[in-house]
Amino acid sequence: MFSAQSNVIVGLEIGTSKVCAVVGEIGAGGAPNIIGVGQARSRGVRKGEISEPELAEEDIRNAIVEAEQMANVEIRNVYLGVTGNHVRGFNNRGVHPVVSADREITDEDVQDVIKNAKAINLPPESGIIHTIRQLFYVDGHHGIPNPVGMFGARMEVDVHVVQGNVNRLKNSIRAVKSLHLEVDEIIFNGLASSLAMLTNEQKELGALVIDMGGGTTEYCVYADGVIKHTGVLAVGGDHISNDLAYGLKVPLGRAEQLKFDHGSALVEESIRGRQIELPGEVGLPAKTINLEHLRRIISLRLAETFLLIEQEIAERGLLDYLRAGVFLCGGCARVPGIQRLLENTFMLTAQLGKMSAISGLSPALDQPEFATGIGLVKIGSLQHKRKTTGGFAENIKKSIAEFFRR
Ligand SMILES: Nc1ncnc2c1ncn2[C@@H]1O[C@H](COP(=O)(O)OP(=O)(O)OP(=O)(O)O)[C@@H](O)[C@H]1O
Ligand SMILES: [Mg+2]
């Protein structure tokens, strides 16, 4: 039996393709050192949400046990990643009059204006997952990161709110709790991945992070150091396999294998006319596949997904802010040629998979599929730092907002 350690943070992603538990140990400086990862093939999740709880629980248990063995610790709590097409991000503004006689803005004023920004009329089944502060206005002057100590009569703040369907979020939480694990906090997968991928400088310059997994694609836009937009599409690499099965008239298993062995996001002139010979197997006749056709199917699905994201970002006027470019993680970052496809779609530089925002990550763990789990550990490590330096709950909430902001 391992011992539980208070300086251990665990991130858990219950993904469509794999369940993944990442274990981080907080070092002396407060930064996490990744000491273990456990993975299990996911069988009870569709489009990022649990559809077969019993299978999901078994897979979670297996991933947790593997992570415990690798890290040599007992896991009791997790930061739980959540996603699904019910998750939405939008911006809201709060207003607050500064009431003190001398009009000096205090910490309480900041709390109040954020509280006002959170007062949103949501449908009864909706719940707020995150309220992330962006920038403040003082008497109409915009772009103020922290107004405490300034003088003014009227204060406003923009926040980015991530909301989801409470019942659907509860399904993930219950699966974790059924294994006698506590949920420290739920975090939107897209935010977690963006924290693993981006440095503060890149957030400041402006960046788009896309996490394209098996059943969902999350994205997150930073501009001027703050989160401006988040979203989820219920499309992932599994849809590419489905398209291939349908388009090439092969069973899904064969389509998946063809994607791994011959897939590319680019259809180059040089492959024109090339054929792939599939040998006959039990119950399956031999078949000839046109490689150009195969790659065109992949390329079309990927381009369509990226274009949907591009349109959404363009509609919000955010494309011109992405000066650090586009960053892709999730298993689909492994598709050959996908970097070029991203660059062609967004007309921006694109980077794949590397977790530049985490120091000391071994190459074995620096894999695009682990971005969510690693980002969850990063968030957890900040929370841990606040708790151990004597912060109260509200301080913790505040700090997480600051963390996303810078
Ligand atoms: N080399 C590769 N070529 C093509 N596709 C790949 C490759 N490696 C992984 N994938 C695809 O990546 C997807 C899995 O990615 P990932 O592990 O990030 O998903 P997930 O986190 O479990 O799912 P989600 O986040 O959507 O719930 C699968 O569709 C898989 O086929
Ligand atoms: Mg994922």
Side-chain angles (χ1 to χ4, degrees):
M1 198 62 198
F2 314 111
S3 59
Q5 293 173 10
S6 62
N7 62 340
V8 162
I9 304 286
V10 181
L12 177 69
E13 178 188 11
I14 310 170
T16 312
S17 299
K18 50 97 183 49
V19 178
C20 163
V22 178
V23 186
E25 187 179 38
I26 310 287
N33 184 23
I34 307 297
I35 57 170
V37 174
Q39 267 196 97
R41 197 170 69 81
S42 182
R43 298 165 301 164
V45 178
R46 284 196 69 237
K47 298 185 180 182
E49 294 183 66
I50 293 178
S51 54
E52 292 187 64
E54 279 172 24
L55 286 178
E57 283 160 26
E58 210 176 301
D59 298 337
I60 298 167
R61 184 183 297 118
N62 289 337
I64 292 279
V65 167
E66 193 179 294
E68 284 181 324
Q69 281 165 352
M70 184 168 168
N72 207 15
V73 293
E74 185 193 344
I75 295 173
R76 290 195 186 153
N77 307 42
V78 298
Y79 283 83
L80 175 63
V82 292
T83 188
N85 70 351
H86 60 100
V87 178
R88 282 203 200 331
F90 59 90
N91 297 322
N92 199 40
R93 186 170 297 175
V95 184
H96 170 73
V98 181
V99 288
S100 64
D102 63 358
R103 301 271 196 241
E104 182 174 346
I105 296 167
T106 63
D107 213 26
E108 284 78 62
D109 290 316
V110 169
Q111 300 305 329
D112 284 343
V113 75
I114 291 172
K115 210 181 288 167
N116 292 345
K118 281 189 199 177
I120 303 155
N121 269 337
L122 292 175
E125 68 281 7
S126 290
I128 294 180
I129 306 170
H130 303 287
T131 310
I132 305 156
R133 62 162 103 165
Q134 298 172 333
L135 293 169
F136 292 85
Y137 299 73
V138 176
D139 293 341
H141 292 289
H142 185 221
I144 299 163
N146 184 3
V148 173
M150 291 175 69
F151 293 94
R154 178 188 159 92
M155 204 171 53
E156 292 161 272
V157 68
D158 286 331
V159 293
H160 185 71
V161 179
V162 182
Q163 61 133 106
N165 180 296
V166 173
N167 296 326
R168 288 159 79 173
L169 294 170
K170 275 192 196 159
N171 287 333
S172 301
I173 297 171
R174 187 169 59 195
V176 173
K177 289 200 160 177
S178 72
L179 299 169
H180 305 292
L181 293 166
E182 284 304 315
V183 175
D184 288 308
E185 233 170 89
I186 59 168
I187 310 280
F188 170 50
N189 285 353
L191 290 185
S193 298
S194 73
L195 284 188
M197 298 291 291
L198 297 182
T199 61
N200 288 345
E201 292 72 28
Q202 287 161 341
K203 290 180 202 162
E204 210 57 61
L205 277 170
L208 163 67
V209 178
I210 302 174
D211 181 331
M212 191 167 184
T216 62
T217 298
E218 293 94 16
Y219 48 95
C220 187
V221 177
Y222 287 79
D224 297 330
V226 300
I227 292 179
K228 291 282 187 177
H229 185 55
T230 52
V232 183
L233 295 173
V235 178
D238 295 352
H239 298 78
I240 300 175
S241 306
N242 278 329
D243 292 348
L244 289 173
Y246 184 78
L248 302 174
K249 298 186 179 57
V250 292
L252 189 58
R254 260 195 162 171
E256 181 96 351
Q257 200 56 47
L258 281 165
K259 178 176 85 170
F260 277 85
D261 294 345
H262 302 282
S264 169
L266 303 173
V267 187
E268 281 154 337
E269 278 293 316
S270 57
I271 61 157
R272 194 142 283 169
R274 283 245 300 270
Q275 309 281 358
I276 304 161
E277 303 297 338
L278 292 180
E281 286 170 28
V282 185
L284 288 177
K287 196 169 166 74
T288 305
I289 302 286
N290 179 326
L291 183 62
E292 182 190 344
H293 192 179
L294 181 149
R295 293 193 175 169
R296 195 167 299 287
I297 292 170
I298 297 176
S299 157
L300 283 172
R301 173 62 87 163
L302 288 170
E304 185 196 33
T305 310
F306 295 152
L307 272 174
L308 284 173
I309 298 173
E310 197 239 20
Q311 277 165 12
E312 249 203 60
I313 295 174
E315 275 167 23
R316 286 163 177 79
L318 292 170
L319 268 186
D320 290 342
Y321 287 86
L322 309 177
R323 286 171 294 160
V326 187
F327 298 76
L328 180 70
C329 58
C332 290
R334 293 186 185 277
V335 177
I338 200 163
Q339 183 175 8
R340 186 113 70 81
L341 183 72
L342 273 172
E343 295 187 331
N344 292 346
T345 309
F346 287 93
M347 304 301 280
L348 293 165
T349 59
Q351 294 181 52
L352 302 182
K354 291 269 162 263
M355 252 80 62
S356 49
I358 294 273
S359 58
L361 194 63
S362 76
L365 300 177
D366 192 359
Q367 307 295 333
E369 294 88 352
F370 296 155
T372 298
I374 288 173
L376 289 169
V377 169
K378 195 167 178 190
I379 293 169
S381 69
L382 179 96
Q383 301 292 55
H384 180 272
K385 201 167 157 187
R386 297 287 161 169
K387 280 178 202 159
T388 51
T389 49
F392 296 105
E394 201 41 48
N395 273 344
I396 292 167
K397 290 226 166 65
K398 192 175 106 189
S399 70
I400 204 168
E402 278 166 2
F403 196 51
F404 283 124
R405 201 168 61 69
R406 295 282 157 198

